[in-house]
Amino acid sequence: MIHPVILCGGSGTRLWPLSRRDFPKQFTRLLGENSLFQACAHRFQGAGFAAPLVLSHADFRFMALEQLGEMGITEATVMLEPAARNTAPAVLAAALHLQAKGAGDDLMLAAPSDHVIRDVEAFLAAVQAGAPAARGGALVTFGIRPDRAETGYGYLELADAAACASAQAAPVARFVEKPDARAAEAMLAEGRFLWNAGIFLFRVDDIVAAFEMHAPQMVPPVRAAVEGAQPDLGFVRLDEAPWNDVPENSIDYAIMERAARVAAVPVECGWSDLGAWDAVWREMGPDAAGLAQSGEVTQIGCTDTLLRSEQDGPRLVGVNLKGIAAIAMRDAVLVADMTDLQAVKAAVTQMKAEGVREAETLPRTYRPWGWYETLELSDRFQVKQIVVPPGKKLSLQSHVHRSEHWIVVKGTATVTIDDAVKLVTENQSVYIPLGAVHRLENPGKVDLHLIEVQTGAYLGEDDIIRYEDIYNRA
């Protein structure tokens, strides 16, 4: 039995403005109808795989559960990390959780949720090819046969060049950091190097033993966090106190580069980590002129260019552009040279330092009950659009500094104001006085859309006193 462990804690800042802290790239519909996270979870639904174990930040718990539900995946365990600590603590927490469930002799497959794998059959065949080595005690990784001198990936060097052409697990001589262009060209020509896909297969007991040997300082706090984990609305919430003492590190640095028995399975499966917009451009399939486009776009004479206008974004017009990535959203636009897209991360860092809201926050804010979007914000009033799917409801709450006016524009709302409960339908409105205890819910079968007008001295999201909440938020 193989236990898929899906890691979905990354932030994907190089894909700004689409990917941001409050809605990272793994949950976006970047390349089709399904998100990258959904595609990853679906990959492991075949025979021989147990129900997935998902490691997610607590902020994304309802997002992950909802997207799993859309795929019909109902048996997954979603484990919540109180804070991001990189991949090593997440993998160890998953292993200790499985070990406690009696699965120490089983295999676990740790996979990032934000990668693309076009040839799923080839990848699953590589997993089966690596399984005997993993059962024999090796820590197995997967190496992608390179088709270009890529500087955005780390590499694996195999001891034998002939092994790169095989489909079997072979010993890894060393891990190589992301190279410069000259080094990448040399490694491509040498033929003994593979791209490091960052996907790992090993016995549960073996990876725990590897942590005890190579990263012993990490084991006690992670073990305490797992042992102290509590159920929370169907999630498994790791104990925050010991988790805060866990050192941050990646599984590559903490374990794989130090372990004695590391093997790689070479594979060609149409893999990409979508680490920057040029990778998205390749995956979109540029035309003969090298142009890839999506959304409300008009172009004249553009070559080797990516043009994307995302949902609700403005019309994007490109004229005689060459080697440019232009991504437009309602609140932000990125225009960058295709040869320097790794610098997008530095731009996001600079915006964060300057306190720019758009660096991390989308116009649309997602909540477990639906989403809202600010349409207008001024000194003493704010106008929002709010959407609540069928069966969802907001917390029972009150505000100290603001009153609210709700106008239903689509669907039906059940509104509680103090002791009164009323049904509000399309083109009707209701007023919530300052200090009133109130709640909004959707009893219908279609999404509820309403316009909320807030007035008051303070309009921040922290002006909420919750009395009851079905989502167990503080």
Side-chain angles (χ1 to χ4, degrees):
M1 183 67 68
I2 298 177
H3 297 265
V5 174
I6 301 175
L7 308 174
C8 57
S11 58
T13 53
R14 291 181 181 87
L15 291 184
W16 185 91
L18 181 63
S19 175
R20 307 193 202 181
R21 183 198 62 186
D22 62 354
F23 201 89
K25 69 174 181 176
Q26 58 267 28
F27 296 114
T28 65
R29 267 75 174 179
L30 191 61
L31 293 170
E33 294 183 0
N34 295 327
S35 71
L36 300 175
F37 169 67
Q38 287 175 314
C40 180
H42 186 260
R43 224 169 272 150
F44 307 128
Q45 291 302 292
F49 287 105
L53 172 57
V54 176
L55 274 292
S56 174
H57 190 278
D59 288 349
F60 308 131
R61 62 196 187 279
F62 295 105
M63 203 177 296
L65 200 63
E66 181 176 341
Q67 291 199 359
L68 289 171
E70 290 174 2
M71 303 297 291
I73 301 172
T74 58
E75 300 300 318
T77 298
V78 180
M79 180 175 285
L80 307 179
E81 301 174 80
R85 289 292 184 267
N86 213 320
T87 54
V91 170
L92 177 57
L96 291 170
H97 173 81
L98 292 170
Q99 199 176 54
K101 298 290 185 182
D105 199 42
D106 290 348
L107 299 182
M108 60 181 280
L109 179 68
S113 60
D114 56 358
H115 292 185
V116 166
I117 295 178
R118 293 193 303 273
D119 191 342
V120 175
E121 287 188 8
F123 171 70
L124 294 180
V127 172
Q128 294 304 318
R135 292 192 180 97
L139 306 183
V140 175
T141 185
F142 297 88
I144 309 301
R145 296 189 185 100
D147 58 10
R148 63 186 184 277
E150 176 62 56
T151 59
Y153 299 151
Y155 285 71
L156 308 169
E157 181 182 3
L158 301 190
D160 181 5
C164 285
S166 77
Q168 303 301 316
V172 173
R174 65 184 176 113
F175 286 72
V176 181
E177 293 292 327
K178 294 177 182 178
D180 59 25
R182 180 177 295 181
E185 290 283 0
M187 289 191 291
L188 182 65
E190 196 168 340
R192 290 189 295 114
F193 293 86
L194 304 167
W195 291 337
N196 181 6
I199 304 172
F200 307 101
L201 180 70
F202 23 62
R203 284 178 67 249
V204 172
D205 284 346
D206 288 339
I207 191 61
V208 173
F211 272 97
E212 291 171 340
M213 176 176 291
H214 301 293
Q217 73 285 358
M218 194 175 289
V219 177
V222 174
R223 189 183 298 277
V226 172
E227 291 176 349
Q230 296 294 322
D232 178 3
L233 297 179
F235 304 103
V236 177
R237 187 182 289 273
L238 293 169
D239 191 346
E240 183 174 3
W243 189 260
N244 288 337
D245 295 329
V246 176
E248 183 176 343
N249 207 344
S250 72
I251 184 71
D252 295 80
Y253 290 150
I255 303 300
M256 302 302 291
E257 295 185 10
R258 302 181 182 189
R261 294 189 60 192
V262 177
V265 180
V267 59
E268 292 178 18
C269 59
W271 171 90
S272 172
D273 73 346
L274 295 180
W277 282 112
D278 57 336
V280 176
W281 169 77
R282 279 189 290 271
E283 292 302 318
M284 288 176 64
D287 63 17
L291 175 67
Q293 57 185 314
S294 68
E296 298 295 316
V297 169
T298 299
Q299 72 84 28
I300 296 175
C302 295
T303 59
D304 300 327
T305 287
L306 170 63
L307 299 174
R308 287 179 64 119
S309 181
E310 301 298 336
Q311 184 181 19
D312 299 327
R315 173 161 289 276
L316 179 61
V317 180
V319 179
N320 294 329
L321 300 176
K322 183 174 182 179
I324 294 296
I327 294 87
M329 299 190 69
R330 190 171 70 80
D331 66 331
V333 177
L334 170 71
V335 181
D337 190 316
M338 288 278 277
T339 64
D340 195 23
L341 288 168
Q342 297 294 325
V344 173
K345 182 176 182 179
V348 174
T349 300
Q350 181 175 325
M351 286 190 291
K352 287 167 60 178
E354 294 170 353
V356 177
R357 178 185 183 276
E358 290 82 0
E360 299 183 292
T361 304
L362 286 164
R364 184 172 294 180
T365 299
Y366 292 87
R367 292 287 187 259
W369 47 259
W371 58 266
Y372 70 85
E373 188 169 346
T374 297
L375 306 178
E376 183 69 30
L377 177 61
S378 188
D379 262 354
R380 292 186 60 87
F381 76 89
Q382 180 171 204
V383 181
K384 290 182 177 180
Q385 178 186 9
I386 296 177
V387 175
V388 184
K392 298 294 182 72
K393 59 182 176 181
L394 283 65
S395 61
L396 186 67
Q397 59 185 254
S398 66
H399 308 296
V400 176
H401 300 287
R402 70 174 185 255
S403 59
E404 296 172 339
H405 198 125
W406 293 341
I407 305 99
V408 175
V409 294
K410 181 180 178 181
T412 301
T414 298
V415 178
T416 301
I417 304 175
D418 292 328
D419 295 328
V421 179
K422 63 170 67 176
L423 205 63
V424 184
T425 59
E426 290 181 13
N427 296 319
Q428 293 183 334
S429 63
V430 63
Y431 174 67
I432 299 94
L434 186 150
V437 177
H438 60 283
R439 165 175 274 163
L440 171 72
E441 56 187 295
N442 181 357
K445 297 185 180 298
V446 299
D447 284 354
L448 165 65
H449 292 247
L450 61 88
I451 301 299
E452 176 183 82
V453 180
Q454 302 176 353
T455 57
Y458 179 72
L459 306 173
E461 282 302 305
D462 54 346
D463 181 22
I464 297 178
I465 301 172
R466 288 194 176 99
Y467 304 95
E468 180 185 310
D469 182 35
I470 63 172
Y471 309 109
N472 202 22
R473 293 169 293 173

